């Protein structure tokens, strides 16, 4: 006896097979389940790395049945994702998104990490900020203690 689940919706199915002979009649009860199909799930759906962090983790899972085979790509040179491919059944596959601010001007940058799989495709938005370089400022730039002044102050700030 074999069953063919193709084309069926996810559900439970049952039936009977009647066996007749010239002596005895019997029935065999048959039951099967068609599980949910492969379904790619990704967490989180957006990653904001900010000004000081360099990486953040996410997870890829299969919220359906079977094994999802997935791969990851990104659309910016400053984004790196590891690992770039894998398979998942029910476990969470952790991926790390790392950013490299080297050579980038101050500002906010955005990109996309795309996950493709046989259980669907997802996109995760990535944002990252490159802070302005610190600028040292000293005020005043000279002090004159003359003949009687003992204490004077000056201010050091990051403008």
């Amino acid at each position: 006896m074999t069953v063919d689940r193709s084309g069926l919706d996810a559900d439970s199915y049952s039936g009977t097979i009647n066996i007749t002979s010239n002596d005895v009649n019997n029935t065999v009860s048959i039951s099967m389940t068609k599980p949910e199909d492969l379904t790619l799930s990704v967490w989180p759906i957006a990653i904001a790395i900010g000004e000081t962090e360099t990486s953040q983790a996410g997870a890829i899972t299969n919220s359906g049945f079977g094994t999802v085979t997935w791969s990851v790509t990104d659309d910016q040179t400053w984004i790196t994702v590891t690992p770039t491919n894998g398979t998942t059944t029910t476990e969470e596959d952790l991926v790390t998104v790392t950013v490299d601010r080297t050579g980038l001007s101050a500002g906010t940058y955005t990109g996309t990490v795309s996950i493709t799989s046989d259980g669907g495709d997802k996109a995760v938005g990535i944002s990252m900020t490159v802070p302005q370089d610190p600028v040292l400022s000293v005020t005043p730039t000279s002090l004159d203690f003359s003949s009687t002044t003992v204490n004077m102050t000056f201010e050091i700030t990051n403008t």
Side-chain angles (χ1 to χ4, degrees), residues 84-128:
T84 58
N85 58 62
T87 59
T88 180
T89 51
T90 58
E91 79 284 356
E92 285 189 345
D93 288 355
L94 295 180
V95 294
T96 302
V97 176
T98 304
V99 298
D100 182 4
R101 294 178 178 85
T102 305
L104 297 177
S105 302
T108 300
Y109 293 79
T110 60
T112 302
V113 169
S114 298
I115 303 97
T116 56
S117 80
D118 51 4
D121 301 334
K122 301 286 184 182
V124 176
I126 309 296
S127 65
M128 180 244 337

Side-chain angles (χ1 to χ4, degrees), residues 24-77:
V24 178
N25 293 335
N26 282 313
T27 60
V28 176
S29 296
I30 306 294
S31 65
M32 74 167 195
T33 302
K34 167 65 164 66
E36 294 289 328
D37 293 325
L38 301 174
T39 305
L40 176 71
S41 296
V42 176
W43 174 88
I45 58 171
I47 295 176
I49 294 193
E51 288 187 358
T52 58
E53 284 183 275
T54 57
S55 64
Q56 194 170 43
I60 296 172
T61 61
N62 175 18
S63 57
F65 174 79
T67 300
V68 169
T69 301
W70 56 267
S71 65
V72 176
T73 58
D74 60 73
D75 65 352
Q76 300 296 323
T77 57

Side-chain angles (χ1 to χ4, degrees), residues 102-155:
T102 305
L104 297 177
S105 302
T108 300
Y109 293 79
T110 60
T112 302
V113 169
S114 298
I115 303 97
T116 56
S117 80
D118 51 4
D121 301 334
K122 301 286 184 182
V124 176
I126 309 296
S127 65
M128 180 244 337
T129 302
V130 176
Q132 290 190 350
D133 291 332
V135 178
L136 181 67
S137 176
V138 179
T139 308
T141 57
S142 65
L143 299 172
D144 181 3
F145 283 88
S146 66
S147 61
T148 59
T149 304
V150 177
N151 294 316
M152 293 186 79
T153 61
F154 61 93
E155 183 177 4

